[in-house]
Every structure is written in C-alpha cells, then in structure tokens.
Amino acid sequence: MSDEAYREFAYETESVSIEKFPEIRDRAILLDSCSKRFNVCGVRIGAIASHNKDIISSALKFGQARLSVATIEQLAMVRFGKF
C-alpha cells in the first residue's frame, strides 16, 4: 500500500509511485486523496487503484454499500480535479 496523497509536495527530489515497480504490480495498492492536492480541507474524497482485481472488487462492494462520499463532492472533483 502506498499513500500518495502528498506526492506533489516533493520539493528536493521527484516522488516515485508504487506503480513504477513492475515486480509488485499484482500486489500494489495506491491510495490518493484530493484534499491535499486541491487544498479542499474537509472534503473526504479518495481514490484506490490496483491491478489486483480482487482488491478492486472488494473496494467496489464498499462503494456500493453507500459508504462513498456525497455525489456533489464527487461531481466537483470530476469537474475540477484531475485523478
């Protein structure tokens, strides 16, 4: 698991994503958030990315159980954000 919410705040060196390591591609889970990147404190919108279909399937079940963020916030990030 790699929390990459602060990747734009690497000032003296380039940030390296977990996705750059092909040898762990099937086990890697990338976590991200818009609140730091877009300076929208309090907006609880995150993203999970993985090439592992079981992980994505489990995450989708949580989303379908209405444990997701409000629709208006999702639409705002689609319109103004860049995930």
Side-chain angles (χ1 to χ4, degrees):
M1 291 183 90
S2 177
D3 181 353
E4 299 191 12
Y6 291 94
R7 70 178 174 265
E8 279 86 14
F9 297 99
Y11 299 109
E12 295 181 18
T13 183
E14 185 178 337
S15 141
V16 178
S17 174
I18 195 170
E19 292 295 316
K20 298 288 184 185
F21 299 93
E23 62 273 12
I24 61 169
R25 183 177 189 200
D26 62 329
R27 299 181 311 277
I29 303 169
L30 185 145
L31 305 171
D32 201 356
S33 169
C34 69
S35 61
K36 306 299 183 275
R37 183 177 314 155
F38 302 116
N39 197 23
V40 285
C41 301
V43 174
R44 303 288 184 238
I45 297 180
I48 182 170
S50 178
H51 292 284
N52 186 311
K53 292 180 182 183
D54 292 331
I55 291 169
I56 296 302
S57 175
S58 294
L60 181 60
K61 289 176 186 175
F62 281 102
Q64 290 173 333
R66 297 188 139 319
L67 299 174
S68 295
V69 74
T71 303
I72 190 72
E73 292 177 352
Q74 291 181 42
L75 293 173
M77 286 302 104
V78 168
R79 173 73 170 98
F80 301 109
K82 186 178 179 186
F83 269 118

